[in-house]
Amino acid sequence: MKIIEVENLVKKFGSFVANDHLTFSVDEGEIYGFLGANGAGKTTAMKILCGLSAPTSGKVMVAGYDVYRQSEMIKKRIGYMSQRFSLFEDLSVWENFQFFGGIYGLAPAKIRERTTELLGRLGLESEKNQILGSLPLGWKQKLAFSVAIIHRPSIVFLDEPTGGVDPITRRQFWEIIYETANQGITVFVTTHYMDEAEYCRRVSIMADGKIVALDTPSNLKDKYNAANIEEVFLKIARN
Amino acid sequence: MSANISIQAANITKRYGDKTALDDISFDIAKGELFGFIGPDGAGKTTLFRIITTLLKPGNGIMTVEGLDTVKDYIKLRKILGYMPGRFSLYQDLTVEENLKFFAGIFKTTPEANYELVKDIYSQIEPFKDRKAGKLSGGMKQKLALSCALIHKPEVLVLDEPTTGVDAVSRIEFWEMLGRLRRSGITIVVSTPYMDEASRCDRVALMQNGKIMSIDTPEAIRNNYGRDLFAVKTDDTYRLLSDLRQYKPTRTAFPFGEHIHVSLADESVKTAEIISYLEAAGHSNIHISKIEPSVEDCFMEMMSTESSTREK
């Protein structure tokens, strides 16, 4: 089943075309890498997929809902995490989960159950009363990811989730992403670490508002005769 | 102090409340060196750079830049320092040209007087000189910020995470610019969380939790890894990782793109034995080769060693 379906998505700001006829789809349970240079139009497209911004034209369906008419339904079915927007630093770990669980309308008993389960998976049960601000960045990022999936969304959007994170934690983070995808939650991720692109099932690469390549990492490497995704990226961007 | 030294840190410590941001750090950076501080967020890079640029006093220790003490001689020192902070330093409502004039003016000079130094970088954004800085793309802002940090012809250039959040292509272009700039003889100090950028530096310091774990040339750091390292690949990378972790002789196994990098606790194990283990586990298309470690491999190795010593 397709969890995201985009056909001829166009988004203009005045005369500037930020998204120029994007067409792609994402399968349920897939890890999809959304790559592109700065200014290529990734953030604009992500905002549209999250129901935060309306397209100028084109068809966009997310989790079975239409972004033009049902953006509020989309917001309930998605999770979102970025490097910049994280959790509340002055609240404890537990309080952060309560707060975001409440926002997504989960019953208190459900929030307790899922918080316990998610903290257990991270091995951070004993930290639940710690103030978030006192924890290492890597832990905060893992917690932010868990909070983003507390309501069991159909799809979770991760915007540069591992920026600035140490190399060991970065890899642990990707193991959590894999586990999540194995449970059927679709993962839509952007990153500037090209080695991470190889962990995705498929990646698309944007340039100047268009999707210029979309395939599995190994097919892209074959097609561009490249040793790794970084080379593919460079060949596309320097074209 | 040797005349050849540009920046010298002696036992620098900085605490914020009960948090130690920098823990007894010492190093020398030579004149004309392109020196990198490499580490994740929270390693202490920005605190260190604020001390180097006289914006913050160290708690303990002495920092000198070009023979000047960063606390006592800060007025003299600021004239010869160029600083590009991690957060954006430009005036968004001024145009490209106005920003450059403003920063030159602060140092009582003009863009024309030192144009030769910034020409390579500034000429790329000059076609947009009447555009407001706030309307520039990320890559162009970065070039303008670098031009502004250079326009008074500093002796020492300090760049705090200039490539963070920047795409792979712009990162390469930025390092190419630094490489050319280096030939003018200026001392350049850069911080970055990207381990692959280490190879662009003459020497690097690998930082974690307020400490320098290692300080050396990138080649020497790689040569000091001290173990055999293998890159393994099969058709199922995710299962391969867990199978390699369960393999008794395995010491470490970390994903690197489509490969898993493996070091062995028992180095007498032959690659043929690893292959037959993986075949028995049902893997197909098994590729294994001995590789040279990258700086990232070394960084993770040092992180693991540091945390196990701390636990003891």
Side-chain angles (χ1 to χ4, degrees), chain A residues 37-38 133 137 164-168 170-171 175 178-179 182 192-193 195 198-199 221 230 233-234 237-238, chain B residues 19 40-41 165-169 171-172 176 194-195 238 241 245 254-258 296 299-300 303-304:
Chain A
N38 301 111
L137 174 84
V165 173
D166 73 67
I168 291 182
R170 195 155 79 78
R171 287 170 171 78
E175 286 180 41
Y178 265 108
E179 272 175 37
N182 277 340
H192 288 311
Y193 290 99
D195 59 331
E198 310 259 4
Y199 308 151
K221 284 182 280 186
E230 174 149 22
F233 193 87
L234 295 182
R238 288 193 160 161
Chain B
K19 268 195 180 172
D41 289 0
V166 172
D167 68 70
V169 176
R171 287 207 282 136
I172 290 174
E176 284 167 354
Y194 296 104
M195 309 278 148
Y238 187 53
L241 180 61
R245 290 217 172 122
F254 290 114
F256 269 78
E258 60 174 358
E296 189 153 0
F299 195 96
M300 291 196 284
M303 277 179 77
S304 317

Side-chain angles (χ1 to χ4, degrees), chain A residues 132-145:
Chain A
L132 195 96
S134 67
L135 299 176
L137 174 84
W139 292 13
K140 285 187 210 169
Q141 292 298 87
K142 288 184 208 168
L143 288 166
F145 179 70

Side-chain angles (χ1 to χ4, degrees), chain A residues 33-42 160 190-192 194 204-208 210 233 237, chain B residues 166-168:
Chain A
F34 197 57
L35 311 181
N38 301 111
K42 298 193 300 289
E160 292 183 40
T190 73
T191 180
H192 288 311
M194 289 300 122
S204 62
I205 301 178
M206 278 188 80
D208 297 326
K210 296 190 176 77
F233 193 87
Chain B
V166 172
D167 68 70

Side-chain angles (χ1 to χ4, degrees), chain A residues 10-231:
Chain A
V10 174
K11 178 71 182 185
K12 290 184 187 167
F13 296 102
S15 61
F16 178 70
V17 184
N19 289 161
D20 188 359
H21 293 88
L22 303 185
T23 297
F24 66 99
S25 62
V26 179
D27 294 328
E28 192 166 13
E30 175 172 27
I31 301 175
Y32 184 90
F34 197 57
L35 311 181
N38 301 111
K42 298 193 300 289
T43 304
T44 302
M46 283 253 265
K47 278 189 180 164
I48 291 170
L49 294 175
C50 292
L52 298 173
S53 161
T56 306
S57 65
K59 175 187 164 192
V60 182
M61 302 287 288
V62 177
Y65 298 107
D66 181 345
V67 293
Y68 292 95
R69 293 178 291 107
Q70 298 167 301
S71 63
E72 290 312 309
M73 292 306 293
I74 290 175
K75 288 177 196 167
K76 286 183 187 164
R77 293 309 310 144
I78 63 171
Y80 177 80
M81 176 207 162
S82 84
Q83 192 200 347
R84 288 160 293 276
F85 176 71
S86 196
L87 306 173
F88 289 98
E89 298 270 309
D90 295 333
L91 296 182
S92 72
V93 171
W94 186 260
E95 287 164 341
N96 267 291
F97 279 83
Q98 305 309 294
F99 179 81
F100 284 99
I103 285 204
Y104 283 116
L106 298 184
K110 207 56 159 177
I111 298 177
R112 277 195 297 279
E113 178 198 316
R114 298 224 177 127
T115 304
T116 307
E117 180 206 320
L118 289 163
L119 288 179
R121 220 198 290 167
L122 297 180
L124 292 176
E125 300 101 320
S126 53
E127 319 296 329
K128 71 177 186 185
N129 295 320
Q130 295 275 334
I131 296 300
L132 195 96
S134 67
L135 299 176
L137 174 84
W139 292 13
K140 285 187 210 169
Q141 292 298 87
K142 288 184 208 168
L143 288 166
F145 179 70
S146 295
V147 166
I149 58 170
I150 192 170
H151 56 303
R152 302 231 170 112
S154 309
I155 178 163
V156 60
F157 291 90
L158 306 175
D159 193 2
E160 292 183 40
T162 56
V165 173
D166 73 67
I168 291 182
T169 309
R170 195 155 79 78
R171 287 170 171 78
Q172 290 168 346
F173 196 93
W174 272 91
E175 286 180 41
I176 302 173
I177 291 179
Y178 265 108
E179 272 175 37
T180 306
N182 277 340
Q183 291 165 2
I185 296 179
T186 308
V187 179
F188 189 97
V189 58
T190 73
T191 180
H192 288 311
Y193 290 99
M194 289 300 122
D195 59 331
E196 294 184 347
E198 310 259 4
Y199 308 151
C200 302
R201 192 170 78 91
R202 289 188 306 152
V203 298
S204 62
I205 301 178
M206 278 188 80
D208 297 326
K210 296 190 176 77
I211 289 181
V212 289
L214 195 177
D215 214 326
T216 62
S218 59
N219 285 349
L220 286 176
K221 284 182 280 186
D222 287 347
K223 187 179 168 198
Y224 287 88
N225 191 22
N228 50 48
I229 291 292
E230 174 149 22
E231 264 184 44

Side-chain angles (χ1 to χ4, degrees), chain B residues 14-310:
Chain B
K14 181 73 186 178
R15 291 194 183 86
Y16 298 108
D18 57 0
K19 268 195 180 172
T20 304
L22 292 173
D23 190 0
D24 197 22
I25 280 190
S26 299
F27 57 82
D28 290 341
I29 296 174
K31 284 190 176 166
E33 213 173 0
L34 174 50
F35 193 97
F37 286 91
I38 302 198
D41 289 0
K45 305 186 299 294
T46 297
T47 300
L48 179 65
F49 279 23
R50 287 189 179 151
I51 293 173
I52 293 174
T53 52
T54 78
L55 301 173
L56 200 62
K57 290 180 185 170
N60 282 306
I62 292 174
M63 179 81 77
T64 53
V65 180
E66 295 292 319
L68 298 168
D69 185 298
T70 56
V71 178
K72 284 183 239 148
D73 306 318
Y74 73 96
I75 294 177
K76 273 190 210 161
L77 190 48
R78 284 181 186 180
K79 291 181 183 145
I80 60 162
L81 280 172
Y83 176 44
M84 185 171 150
R87 291 259 174 89
F88 202 45
S89 56
L90 301 168
Y91 288 91
Q92 309 284 326
D93 292 336
L94 296 185
T95 65
V96 168
E97 191 176 31
E98 285 165 346
N99 264 288
L100 195 65
K101 276 189 178 160
F102 175 80
F103 283 98
I106 287 183
F107 291 100
K108 300 191 169 65
T109 179
T110 59
E112 294 73 32
N114 296 317
Y115 188 75
E116 215 34 51
L117 190 64
V118 299
K119 190 177 149 197
D120 174 46
I121 304 152
Y122 188 69
S123 61
Q124 300 175 46
I125 47 173
E126 211 162 12
F128 311 98
K129 67 184 165 69
D130 297 323
R131 194 178 287 186
K132 285 191 175 160
K135 301 276 180 198
L136 295 176
S137 74
M140 293 207 290
K141 277 182 186 171
Q142 192 194 36
K143 283 170 189 156
L144 178 58
L146 182 59
S147 302
C148 290
L150 276 172
I151 197 60
H152 61 295
K153 212 176 175 193
E155 287 171 46
V156 179
L157 180 64
V158 180
L159 309 171
D160 194 4
E161 297 207 18
T163 56
T164 290
V166 172
D167 68 70
V169 176
S170 308
R171 287 207 282 136
I172 290 174
E173 284 176 0
F174 194 81
W175 278 98
E176 284 167 354
M177 285 190 298
L178 292 188
R180 289 192 291 271
L181 199 55
R182 182 182 167 279
R183 286 184 223 136
S184 68
I186 187 171
T187 305
I188 306 175
V189 187
V190 192
S191 67
T192 179
Y194 296 104
M195 309 278 148
D196 59 340
E197 294 179 355
S199 62
R200 301 279 187 161
C201 303
D202 297 322
R203 283 194 308 147
V204 294
L206 303 186
M207 284 187 81
Q208 169 84 354
N209 295 328
K211 288 199 174 99
I212 291 177
M213 299 190 292
S214 176
I215 184 162
D216 218 324
T217 63
E219 296 71 33
I221 285 175
R222 288 196 291 268
N223 291 338
N224 285 339
Y225 183 76
R227 295 183 160 268
D228 287 344
L229 188 68
F230 299 93
V232 189
K233 186 189 160 189
T234 69
D235 282 341
D236 187 347
T237 312
Y238 187 53
R239 198 159 60 81
L240 174 65
L241 180 61
S242 68
D243 286 343
L244 283 170
R245 290 217 172 122
Q246 282 163 28
Y247 185 47
K248 275 233 170 61
T250 298
R251 188 172 153 277
T252 57
F254 290 114
F256 269 78
E258 60 174 358
H259 294 95
I260 310 284
H261 288 189
V262 181
S263 74
L264 301 171
D266 175 2
E267 298 211 309
S268 70
V269 171
K270 303 273 189 302
T271 52
E273 293 173 57
I274 304 174
I275 292 171
S276 39
Y277 165 79
L278 292 174
E279 276 169 352
H283 284 276
S284 50
N285 265 325
I286 303 167
H287 293 276
I288 177 163
S289 54
K290 190 165 175 283
I291 55 162
E292 293 299 319
S294 64
V295 168
E296 189 153 0
D297 288 300
C298 300
F299 195 96
M300 291 196 284
E301 179 66 26
M302 288 177 212
M303 277 179 77
S304 317
T305 329
E306 292 252 317
S307 59
S308 56
T309 18
R310 220 180 306 136

